[in-house]
Amino acid sequence: MHLIFKAVFAAILAVSATSSVAQESAQPSPTPSTPAASPNPNGPVPYTSLQRPAAPRPKAAASAAPGADATPAKTLSSPVPALPATPSGARLAVGEALPPAELEAFVDGVVREAMAREHIAGVTVSVVQNGQVVLKKGYGFADLSPARKVDPDKTLFRIGSISKTFTWIALMKEIEAGRIRQDAPINLYLPERIQVRDQGFRTPVRVINLMDHSPGFEDRALGHLFEKNFDRVRPMAEYLRQERPRRVRAPGEASAYSNYGAALAGQAVSYVSGKPFERLIEESIFLPIGMNNTSFREPHPVKAGLPAPIPQRLADNISAGYRWTPTGFAERPFEFISQVAPAGSASSTAADMARYMQLLLNAGTLDGAVVYGPRTAQAFNTPIRKTPAGINGWRHGFIEYNLPGDHKGFGHAGGTLSFLSNMVVAPDLNLGVFISTNTETGGDLARDFAARVVQQFYVPPQPFPRAGSPALRDRASDFAGYYVGNRRAYRGLEGMVGLLIGGVEVKVTPEGRLAVASGGKVRTFVPQGELSEGRFISTTGADQLAFSMANGRAYAFQTPLGEQSFERSGFWKRPTTLALLALLSGAAAITTIAGLFLRNRREFRETSVQRQASLIQTSQAVLWLAALTLFGLWAAGTSDVANVMYGWPSAALIIASACVLVAAVLALLSLIMLPAIWRGGRRVDSWSALRKASFTFTVLVYTAFSVLLGLWGALTPWNG
């Protein structure tokens, strides 16, 4: 597997929260104290030249610059008062409103720079505060052929796992009404055919376990979570029955992000209410608050058993999804997600998401419509799990965000194969920020955007990077190692992929910083408090890590989003170990075949047992070379993660696994034959000592590789 696949696929495996172990975007430079430049009538004012005015601002609407790819921002309806000096050094104090023009200029700079650097085709943004829309803007293109610009009022972006937040609202409404109990087994609210099986666990999966992603399911996605061929799309109930995941840990033991669990919650709500999920969300959330351009439905022909398609007026405005290639943007086919709709099939506009954020900030009411009550509002402000400081504890399905300046927010991130999004609301700032990108390279922009807004306006300038720790440098071995995430498949070929992309390397730099590497990207952290506490903070931001310690040594850690835990693993789970044995096995196979043509007549003297062993050895060599070649061909196609998702498991991968399985059986047979090989016959009728030694070495290499591949799940071609 190569780095492009690792970087992208970890964020996309499921309609998931974006990976928290990735390279952190640079923080914005503090605003200089030089006099502000005069507004430029031909474009937005660069945010680096802006300064807070000393006099009250007149009531005025901030409009987009001529030529901008946007709809003008809707501004505050009342004059913005003069901004008083803030002793903290922050540009704004808590309670002060964002200046619309300055916000727009800042966002323009951040978004356009990221679009150019990361090759992002289109972006849509909305920011709300104090009950009003401060910024609503589109950048770039929703479609390149024919060209169609992003319109924040009309263009629908796929919002991925932000969809789950509507599911949690619907679930909490049923809990408020007394029709569902959050401490009850989820099976009470599901039809029998899709109920969760015991699978050896005595504790049932409860409703609350779904909201903090602790039902104990392994995470499987390849070949079924997304579909590009509509003919393969199944009704949700059928999908949940056929794709039931294996339970790998007791419910409530640990959080490990689960799309299946979220879909199960949506199915329970639908079953209890007696309404199709899509219609239930429309009637209980979208229509009451005027989200008229948002839908869980998708564009497709009418098909029995599936929800009705999205209205044509909305289908015409859905943005295309893109990936960047050496020759430019490549459009991807539409991603069908309705088979797991509650987990991620929603599409929305920046304008509609602005209304949604206002609903969340206003405790479930908007323009007189009451969507949910005080109990639910309180739940969305209360973490379910007790976690270390700075680590998300799941606010009844919502992610808790640790924002710069010790501000707290909640919301959700979302990712499909092409769309990367994020929504964060910060109640103490009465602020909501939404962003979505339509290109697979938009993950860093989406992840960091809300934090950058808060950092720019509400946090005093801070010196970065934070200094390293000599104490950490002296105790490097207590933290350094290879850690594997618990959000993955645990068996079969998908289990092998999970181990390939699911690990992170932790090292300590000579400067005393903790370096966490994943997907070809590195983030650095420094201790926060005593090392024995295992808490770390980013060298350039507010993100934190929390290590679990035993006898002064780390054995696991959690990332800020809390979507999974990473556990210290042995050498056998390292991809480098797999690569080393693959290299040795390939070299042994090539040497074996070359020996057939390079040996002289005397070296062909052998006993009957040795003759059989030679035939087995040659057969293994052919099988190993075939398997390695097929694995290589499969890996070559993973530069586009869609190829993996839609084509899983490929014929090349299945045949490679079958070759490995047969070769492993032959390796075991060769191991059994070793004593007879060394006894040989008369000296003139037996292999030389050198050939016996080389055969033994080959057998040991093949056996070790077979055992490792078995542990990784590669010996099960029938279990994709």
Side-chain angles (χ1 to χ4, degrees):
M1 301 288 288
H2 49 73
L3 297 180
I4 296 177
F5 179 47
K6 292 181 72 175
V8 177
F9 195 70
I12 306 294
L13 261 179
V15 193
S16 67
T18 50
S19 175
S20 58
V21 189
Q23 185 177 23
E24 185 170 13
S25 297
Q27 295 294 332
S29 302
T31 304
S33 58
T34 54
S38 299
N40 179 0
N42 297 318
V45 181
Y47 66 85
T48 53
S49 66
L50 293 171
Q51 178 178 308
R52 288 178 291 143
R57 299 175 184 271
K59 180 178 179 180
S63 59
D69 313 323
T71 297
K74 181 179 178 181
T75 59
L76 302 174
S77 59
S78 58
V80 180
L83 303 179
T86 51
S88 70
R91 304 188 61 215
L92 300 175
V94 174
E96 292 183 290
L98 290 167
E102 295 183 33
L103 174 66
E104 182 178 8
F106 172 73
V107 171
D108 284 350
V110 170
V111 171
R112 287 178 175 150
E113 189 274 335
M115 291 178 69
R117 183 185 68 247
E118 304 294 346
H119 306 291
I120 303 170
V123 178
T124 194
V125 171
S126 58
V127 179
V128 300
Q129 191 175 45
N130 300 329
Q132 304 205 31
V133 179
V134 188
L135 177 68
K136 180 180 60 176
K137 195 163 186 178
Y139 301 83
F141 293 90
D143 205 327
L144 296 174
S145 181
R148 174 165 55 97
K149 290 186 176 182
V150 174
D151 184 331
D153 289 301
K154 296 181 179 179
T155 306
L156 282 75
F157 278 56
R158 310 303 301 278
I159 60 174
S161 283
I162 299 176
S163 307
K164 291 182 177 70
T165 62
F166 299 107
T167 302
W168 305 131
I169 288 175
L171 179 59
M172 285 302 303
K173 284 170 64 68
E174 295 299 315
I175 292 172
E176 274 190 330
R179 290 185 288 269
I180 292 179
R181 289 188 299 111
Q182 67 179 27
D183 61 344
I186 188 62
N187 282 347
L188 294 180
Y189 312 109
L190 294 170
E192 192 279 332
R193 66 184 183 279
I194 61 173
Q195 290 179 357
V196 178
R197 304 293 186 247
D198 293 341
Q199 297 183 17
F201 291 90
R202 298 179 62 182
T203 306
V205 175
R206 302 184 186 279
V207 173
I208 195 71
N209 299 138
L210 303 182
M211 287 192 279
D212 72 351
H213 294 272
S214 66
F217 299 138
E218 67 176 338
D219 189 44
R220 289 186 173 272
L222 300 181
H224 57 80
L225 189 66
F226 301 105
E227 298 286 0
K228 68 175 180 179
N229 182 355
F230 176 67
D231 292 337
R232 288 174 50 89
V233 176
R234 293 164 279 179
M236 183 166 62
E238 182 180 340
Y239 173 91
L240 292 172
R241 179 180 62 82
Q242 295 176 345
E243 303 295 344
R244 183 181 286 116
R246 181 186 177 198
R247 296 176 65 180
V248 294
R249 64 183 64 85
E253 182 179 296
S255 289
Y257 196 83
S258 175
N259 287 295
Y260 184 90
L264 209 61
Q267 179 65 41
V269 171
S270 176
Y271 185 66
V272 169
S273 67
K275 297 179 180 180
F277 176 80
E278 291 78 5
R279 181 154 64 90
L280 173 68
I281 300 298
E282 290 163 356
E283 293 178 354
S284 62
I285 303 176
F286 295 161
L287 292 178
I289 64 172
M291 294 182 69
N292 300 320
N293 293 304
T294 303
S295 181
F296 274 81
R297 302 178 188 274
E298 299 178 323
H300 56 71
V302 175
K303 183 178 179 180
L306 293 180
I310 191 171
Q312 192 60 46
R313 70 174 183 85
L314 298 182
D316 292 340
N317 287 317
I318 296 178
S319 172
Y322 292 94
R323 65 181 292 258
W324 176 256
T325 72
T327 58
F329 290 105
E331 183 176 344
R332 279 179 166 155
F334 185 86
E335 307 159 285
F336 290 105
I337 321 175
S338 61
Q339 62 274 13
V340 63
S345 75
S347 301
S348 187
T349 65
D352 271 16
M353 292 304 293
R355 294 191 62 78
Y356 183 44
M357 291 188 291
Q358 289 173 321
L359 175 80
L360 296 174
L361 287 167
N362 204 36
T365 66
L366 184 65
D367 296 340
V370 179
V371 173
Y372 57 83
R375 181 181 176 187
T376 294
Q378 180 61 32
F380 294 155
N381 282 286
T382 307
I384 295 173
R385 305 183 67 81
K386 184 177 181 180
T387 58
I391 306 300
N392 166 44
W394 292 109
R395 296 186 177 188
H396 290 73
F398 281 79
I399 296 172
E400 181 177 84
Y401 287 96
N402 190 48
L403 297 170
D406 294 327
H407 297 287
K408 292 290 184 181
F410 71 96
H412 216 290
T416 69
L417 295 178
S418 302
F419 292 82
L420 287 305
S421 310
N422 205 0
M423 177 193 71
V424 181
V425 295
D428 66 327
L429 300 174
N430 208 13
L431 173 70
V433 179
F434 167 77
I435 185 171
S436 185
T437 71
N438 63 7
T439 311
E440 69 175 14
T441 51
D444 286 351
L445 173 62
R447 184 193 65 237
D448 296 331
F449 183 68
R452 295 188 69 175
V453 170
V454 173
Q455 178 80 44
Q456 173 69 12
F457 291 97
Y458 290 102
V459 180
Q462 297 176 334
F464 289 133
R466 292 184 170 97
S469 164
L472 175 61
R473 185 181 57 220
D474 296 339
R475 291 183 55 185
S477 61
D478 291 339
F479 296 92
Y482 190 74
Y483 296 76
V484 176
N486 66 352
R487 183 198 171 189
R488 57 185 173 88
Y490 278 74
R491 59 181 178 177
L493 297 178
E494 191 168 351
M496 178 187 70
V497 173
L499 287 177
L500 278 170
I501 67 173
V504 296
E505 186 77 42
V506 176
K507 296 181 179 180
V508 176
T509 69
E511 297 78 24
R513 296 187 177 101
L514 194 77
V516 181
S518 175
K521 297 183 178 181
V522 179
R523 292 188 68 187
T524 54
F525 297 80
V526 295
Q528 189 175 35
E530 295 295 327
L531 276 176
S532 58
E533 297 176 359
R535 293 177 54 206
F536 290 78
I537 189 167
S538 169
T539 57
T540 57
D543 283 350
Q544 298 182 37
L545 300 180
F547 282 81
S548 299
M549 310 290 290
N551 300 319
R553 180 176 171 82
Y555 64 87
F557 73 89
Q558 290 178 280
T559 57
L561 292 185
E563 85 284 6
Q564 62 178 321
S565 298
F566 290 85
E567 302 164 351
R568 188 189 287 269
S569 67
F571 74 94
W572 64 272
K573 286 186 178 179
R574 289 176 175 263
T576 51
T577 302
L578 186 72
L580 175 61
L581 283 176
L583 183 63
L584 288 174
S585 297
I590 292 173
T591 302
T592 297
I593 293 175
L596 296 175
F597 302 97
L598 299 178
R599 296 190 190 103
N600 57 40
R601 290 181 57 189
R602 181 171 297 178
E603 290 178 311
F604 275 102
R605 294 175 177 175
E606 55 191 4
T607 66
S608 59
V609 173
Q610 290 170 344
R611 186 180 304 111
Q612 294 171 359
S614 179
L615 178 61
I616 292 174
Q617 185 186 34
T618 302
S619 300
Q620 287 182 84
V622 172
L623 288 168
W624 285 118
L625 288 177
L628 292 173
T629 300
L630 289 168
F631 274 126
L633 290 174
W634 172 78
T638 61
S639 58
D640 183 358
V641 67
N643 292 338
V644 182
M645 180 62 70
Y646 295 139
W648 181 267
S650 69
L653 196 59
I654 293 175
I655 296 172
S657 179
C659 289
V660 166
L661 177 61
V662 176
V665 173
L666 294 179
L668 178 61
L669 183 59
S670 298
L671 193 63
I672 296 172
M673 297 175 69
L674 271 183
I677 297 298
W678 277 95
R679 282 196 303 269
R682 291 182 301 149
R683 185 178 61 82
V684 295
D685 294 329
S686 179
W687 286 351
S688 65
L690 179 61
R691 188 174 178 192
K692 290 177 181 177
S694 64
F695 179 84
T696 302
F697 175 76
T698 299
V699 169
L700 294 177
V701 169
Y702 289 162
T703 301
F705 195 29
S706 299
V707 171
L708 185 63
L709 288 172
L711 293 172
W712 279 52
L715 302 185
T716 54
W718 58 86
N719 187 0

